[in-house]
Amino acid sequence: MILEDKDTYTDRRKSGSHYTPPSWVMEIVRPALEPIFYHRWEVANQDPKKYCEILLKLRILDPAMGGAEFLIGAAQELAIEIAWADLYGKPRQIGRASCRERVYDDV
């Protein structure tokens, strides 16, 4: 539970500012990036070096930005994915099977 001063809450609400806990951010960011990682792995023809190069060129936009929690989370997930692929020669497998159906040609 997050407690905050009523005045602070009212000010944040008026400005449209909302706090997203880090645990929620990661629950949203990882599933959002998984189809992109999977698609880029296929584009790289399952070549770990090429995969990392492709991921390093990835651009991520959070138009709402706020406190940048989602951008920071995306940067962390991207760094972990690149380090994993560099170390193990393949992407992480978290949720990989379920995201295959969500990959779109225009990703």
Side-chain angles (χ1 to χ4, degrees):
M1 176 181 279
I2 299 172
L3 300 175
E4 62 181 303
D5 184 313
K6 185 178 189 294
D7 291 334
T8 303
Y9 174 76
T10 303
D11 292 342
R12 290 170 57 98
R13 188 168 182 188
K14 284 180 185 175
S15 70
S17 303
H18 300 282
Y19 172 75
T20 307
S23 60
W24 291 11
V25 170
M26 298 320 289
E27 286 184 34
I28 295 167
V29 169
R30 180 66 193 175
L33 290 176
E34 279 182 344
I36 295 167
F37 291 160
Y38 178 78
H39 182 258
R40 297 308 193 270
W41 178 243
E42 295 299 317
V43 169
N45 294 318
Q46 301 183 357
D47 176 346
K49 184 176 180 180
K50 188 173 181 184
Y51 177 63
C52 291
E53 290 171 1
I54 290 171
L55 290 184
L56 285 170
K57 295 177 184 174
L58 187 64
R59 293 182 183 186
I60 299 172
L61 171 68
D62 176 7
M65 193 169 159
E69 289 92 358
F70 287 97
L71 287 175
I72 292 168
Q76 289 172 336
E77 282 298 317
L78 189 57
I80 291 167
E81 185 70 15
I82 290 168
W84 184 279
D86 187 49
L87 183 62
Y88 296 107
K90 61 183 181 179
R92 291 183 292 171
Q93 297 299 312
I94 301 170
R96 193 68 64 196
S98 65
C99 78
R100 289 182 184 163
E101 293 80 35
R102 298 181 298 183
V103 177
Y104 301 97
D105 291 335
D106 60 344
V107 174

